Amino acid sequence: MPNIALVVGASGITGSNLAHELISQGWKTYGLARNPNHNITDLHPISADLLNPESLRLALADIAPTHVFFTSWMRNETEAENIRVNGSMVRNLLDALSPKQSVQHVALVTGLKHYLGPFDAYAKEGFLPQTPVREEHPRLDIENFYYAQEDEVYAAAARDGFTWSVHRPHTVIGKAVGNMMNMGTTLAVYATLCQQTGRPFRWPGSEAQWNGLSDVTDARVLAKHLVWAATTEAAHNEAFNVVNGDVFRWNWLWQQLANAFGLDAVGFDGTIHPLEEEIANDGPLWQEIASQYQLIEPRLNVVASAWHTDLDLGRPIEVMTDMSKSRKLGFTVYQRTDESFFDLFDQLRADRVIPARIES
């Protein structure tokens, strides 16, 4: 039976890179989103609302996937609402597919909030795990929409007999315009604003993040990990951390990122300088830059997600992950983190998300 993939959230960083990987490996691949991605060759786009069961039933009427990759989520005002909405999205999709009995495996992408707590309690006292975080770390005694999503997958697997995998990346680095958790592009946009105005490329985060060890997840690594777990029997019914495989300190990487834009790097100066405040008034300036260099997106709040970058870079502890579980089972993909950023910057320039160069 041929592999037929349904990528939920195919317009995002994770979903779009996963679609490319699946297609390159010969999978017939459908991409489901409210606003489907029509820019990936050989991807079959599907428009549907995950919160509307009838919309899903109609959209999936003629599609019987063997593998489902769920990479989507929706941010809400409270964690209780995050749980209700994001749990419903997973449940509605799997309920719509259940009568087909075609699904063999479901992969769910969550993240390190599994260990660090949800948005409104993120990396706060009482919710600080020992690092590097490991998969066997117990759930926190607090509401978390990642747990709700997992529980929906477990319940549907028990009902329909498919296997599952849960993937917990650290900050995902890759291209996607309009994504709400998009550190790589946000830093590229910030660097471009610094180039245009002559401002220094100033570290926005905490001392702990500046000096501590960290890691991130290249979207291409995550894509390969998702396909590996879906097709490796020993990886079924398991949760995995997934990162690049190296560790770094931001006090080193920040200079490398500054060099990529010809900027002067300014490190931690004793105060956190949130990016959300730093670029709060730069919307009109970004429109001017977009017009001058014919960029594809003139809205600063669409290309940059400063709030989430601040969340990660402002954490009061160093954060890195243990990948021993994946390594032991045979996943050996490795990616240098500085090159993840450099590759992304090259892609953003080529796709006119940021200028190829700033004219002096």
Side-chain angles (χ1 to χ4, degrees):
M1 185 175 181
N3 289 327
I4 302 172
L6 175 63
V7 179
V8 183
S11 298
I13 295 176
T14 298
S16 60
N17 279 273
L18 173 60
H20 279 294
E21 180 66 24
L22 289 162
I23 292 165
S24 74
Q25 293 194 28
W27 292 52
K28 184 171 185 179
T29 305
Y30 294 91
L32 186 151
R34 282 174 297 175
N35 299 300
N37 192 330
H38 293 272
N39 299 319
I40 299 176
T41 302
D42 294 328
L43 177 67
H44 304 276
I46 304 169
S47 177
D49 181 356
L50 289 165
L51 292 175
N52 185 329
E54 182 63 11
S55 167
L56 286 167
R57 187 186 68 80
L58 293 173
L60 298 170
D62 299 321
I63 300 168
T66 58
H67 295 71
V68 176
F69 300 89
F70 201 98
T71 73
S72 185
W73 71 286
M74 187 180 297
R75 190 185 182 196
N76 297 275
E77 290 296 322
T78 66
E79 192 58 22
E81 191 66 2
N82 278 331
I83 290 169
R84 185 189 69 79
V85 170
N86 290 285
S88 294
M89 288 163 59
V90 176
R91 182 172 61 254
N92 290 344
L93 177 77
L94 298 180
D95 283 353
L97 293 173
S98 181
K100 302 174 185 294
Q101 290 296 296
S102 65
V103 177
Q104 301 171 17
H105 186 86
V106 173
L108 172 68
V109 179
T110 61
L112 294 200
K113 284 186 290 298
H114 184 94
Y115 309 109
L116 295 168
F119 292 119
D120 53 8
Y122 187 71
K124 299 291 195 301
E125 290 297 332
F127 305 104
L128 300 179
Q130 184 180 39
T131 59
V133 293
R134 293 176 168 82
E135 294 91 343
E136 62 267 25
H137 191 283
R139 289 184 175 185
L140 301 173
D141 187 20
I142 186 173
E143 290 185 324
N144 190 323
F145 80 86
Y146 282 173
Y147 305 162
Q149 287 184 308
E150 286 184 353
D151 289 343
E152 293 294 348
V153 171
Y154 301 155
R159 176 190 66 200
D160 295 335
F162 57 73
T163 58
W164 54 266
S165 55
V166 175
H167 304 255
R168 299 170 185 159
H170 199 165
T171 303
V172 178
I173 305 302
K175 184 205 164 191
V177 175
N179 189 274
M180 287 196 294
M181 298 193 292
N182 197 349
M183 178 190 285
T185 302
T186 298
L187 293 180
V189 167
Y190 174 50
T192 301
L193 291 167
C194 290
Q195 285 181 310
Q196 186 78 359
T197 60
R199 300 191 312 232
F201 190 58
R202 182 169 64 176
W203 171 250
S206 69
E207 182 177 15
Q209 283 291 295
W210 178 250
N211 291 318
L213 289 171
S214 190
D215 52 25
V216 298
T217 307
D218 190 300
R220 297 167 297 186
V221 173
L222 178 54
K224 291 181 182 298
H225 192 267
L226 282 156
V227 179
W228 166 79
T231 56
T232 301
E233 186 175 353
H236 291 170
N237 302 330
E238 297 285 352
F240 296 99
N241 296 329
V242 50
V243 287
N244 282 354
D246 63 353
V247 293
F248 63 89
R249 298 184 197 277
W250 278 105
N251 58 26
W252 169 80
L253 184 59
W254 196 249
Q255 183 65 59
Q256 314 312 309
L257 304 187
N259 292 344
F261 288 87
L263 295 169
D264 294 326
V266 176
F268 182 73
D269 63 4
T271 303
I272 292 177
H273 302 281
L275 272 184
E276 199 162 25
E277 297 176 8
E278 183 74 20
I279 68 173
N281 299 316
D282 286 333
L285 174 58
W286 186 258
Q287 286 185 313
E288 293 176 13
I289 294 172
S291 176
Q292 181 180 354
Y293 295 98
Q294 297 182 310
L295 304 183
I296 63 172
E297 180 48 68
R299 294 168 294 177
L300 181 59
N301 66 337
V302 173
V303 290
S305 55
W307 70 275
H308 188 266
T309 299
D310 287 339
L311 201 67
D312 275 5
L313 299 185
R315 292 178 297 203
I317 56 170
E318 66 176 14
V319 179
M320 83 289 299
T321 54
D322 180 82
M323 265 195 78
S324 300
K325 188 174 182 179
S326 291
R327 300 299 188 218
K328 187 174 181 179
L329 293 177
F331 183 78
T332 59
V333 175
Y334 169 88
Q335 170 68 45
R336 276 185 59 123
T337 289
D338 55 346
E339 293 175 357
S340 290
F341 280 96
F342 300 155
D343 290 350
L344 172 62
F345 298 160
D346 287 344
Q347 185 179 9
L348 294 175
R349 292 178 178 118
D351 294 345
R352 293 187 295 112
V353 178
I354 62 174
R357 62 184 180 87
I358 292 287
E359 298 171 2
S360 58

